[in-house]
Amino acid sequence: MRRSTQTLTGKQAEESLVSLSVGLGQGITLAALGGYRNIAANLVWVSMYGDWRYRLKSEVAQKMMLAVSLNPDSIYFWIDGSRILANDMPVWQVGDELMNTLFTTPEGLEIRKKYGEQALAFLDKAPERLSQEVPILVEKAAISWRRLEDFDRALAYFKQAVAIESVPNHICRVYAEVLVKNGQVREAYEYLKSHYATLSDDDHTALKPFVSKRIEELKGKLDAGS
C-alpha cells in the first residue's frame, strides 16, 4: 500500500481522497482507518498541493487540518502548513504585483500579521510532545520575528529552543543575533560566551573561530557604549 500510494498520480490521489472524504461524511471515524491513517494523511496532503497551485485558501486550510488530524505526529505537515499560512496566503490575498505592500503599507502589514497569527495558532494545535521540539519552537520564533516583527515573542521561543540539549549550533548563533537586533547586546554577549564554553573542537558545526570573533565584536560594542 505504501509503495502504491507513493506512486499515485495527482488524479489518482484526488480520486482516493474523494473516496476517503465520502466515507468520513457517511460516519466513518478516524479510528476506523487504523494503520491506514498515515496513508490517508499523505493522500490529503498531495491533494492539498493541487489546491495550493490554484491558491484556493479555504480548501488548502481545510485539507491541512484534515491531514494533521489523520497524522498529528508529522512535524513536516505542521511546519509546512504554517509556512503556507504565514508566507503564501498573504501574497495570495494582495496579489503578486502588490506583495511589497505587505511590508510597506498599514493595510499590508495588517494582512501579513493576521496570517502570521494564524500560522502560530496552527502550530499551537500540534500535540504537546511535538510542541516542545526544536523545529516547532524555531518555526514559531521565525514567524514571530519575520512575519509579526515581535522580537519579544520570537526570543521567548528561541530561548526555549536553545535550552534543549540537542539544539543545532546554528540556532544558538541565530538566537544571539536576534538578541542583538532587539538591542540586548549584553545578553547576546553573555549567552555566546556560555555557548562557546560548550563547543567541541571536533564539531565542524561549532564554528568556534566565528563565535569567538563575534564575542569580541560584541565586547567592543559594550566597551564603546560604557
Side-chain angles (χ1 to χ4, degrees):
M1 284 292 290
R2 284 195 186 91
R3 287 195 297 271
S4 297
T5 302
Q6 289 169 353
T7 58
L8 285 176
T9 66
K11 181 179 179 181
Q12 289 170 327
E14 185 68 32
E15 291 172 349
S16 298
L17 177 63
V18 169
S19 299
L20 170 65
S21 301
V22 170
L24 290 172
Q26 292 175 345
I28 296 176
T29 66
L30 296 181
L33 291 169
Y36 297 108
R37 285 181 58 158
N38 288 354
I39 295 175
N42 290 337
L43 288 171
V44 171
W45 203 258
V46 169
S47 176
M48 181 274 289
Y49 268 113
D51 295 325
W52 177 87
R53 291 175 56 199
Y54 295 101
R55 303 187 172 190
L56 303 176
K57 288 191 293 185
S58 178
E59 288 83 349
V60 167
Q62 289 173 6
K63 289 177 182 176
M64 280 167 42
M65 287 307 305
L66 178 55
V68 295
S69 296
L70 288 162
N71 184 7
D73 292 324
S74 172
I75 289 184
Y76 170 79
F77 286 171
W78 291 109
I79 290 180
D80 203 41
S82 72
R83 290 176 180 176
I84 290 171
L85 286 166
N87 302 326
D88 296 340
M89 288 193 180
V91 176
W92 297 353
Q93 181 160 334
V94 301
D96 292 344
E97 67 283 358
L98 295 177
M99 62 186 300
N100 288 338
T101 65
L102 296 170
F103 297 88
T104 59
T105 69
E107 296 81 4
L109 292 173
E110 183 178 353
I111 291 169
R112 173 165 57 86
K113 292 183 177 183
K114 178 185 74 173
Y115 283 104
E117 293 289 359
Q118 288 182 15
L120 287 181
F122 176 73
L123 288 173
D124 282 341
K125 294 181 173 68
E128 181 65 24
R129 60 186 175 278
L130 294 186
S131 65
Q132 298 305 307
E133 292 197 12
V134 170
I136 297 289
L137 291 169
V138 170
E139 197 63 32
K140 287 182 176 181
I143 292 168
S144 300
W145 172 22
R146 296 294 194 181
R147 310 309 292 180
L148 302 179
E149 299 177 328
D150 186 339
F151 281 94
D152 290 338
R153 199 171 353 172
L155 287 168
Y157 289 128
F158 272 126
K159 188 174 183 178
Q160 291 181 64
V162 299
I164 297 172
E165 186 174 351
S166 61
V167 64
N169 288 316
H170 73 275
I171 300 300
C172 300
R173 297 192 293 270
V174 171
Y175 172 52
E177 293 308 313
V178 178
L179 282 169
V180 173
K181 288 180 181 294
N182 199 42
Q184 297 174 253
V185 178
R186 181 163 298 280
E187 289 84 349
Y189 171 69
E190 297 295 343
Y191 173 73
L192 276 184
K193 283 202 305 181
S194 64
H195 173 61
Y196 183 83
T198 68
L199 298 177
S200 167
D201 292 329
D202 300 326
D203 184 355
H204 71 278
T205 72
L207 299 183
K208 287 189 72 173
F210 172 85
V211 175
S212 176
K213 181 181 178 182
R214 189 59 175 143
I215 291 171
E216 290 303 313
E217 291 172 349
L218 295 178
K219 184 177 185 300
K221 284 188 176 184
L222 292 171
D223 292 342
S226 60

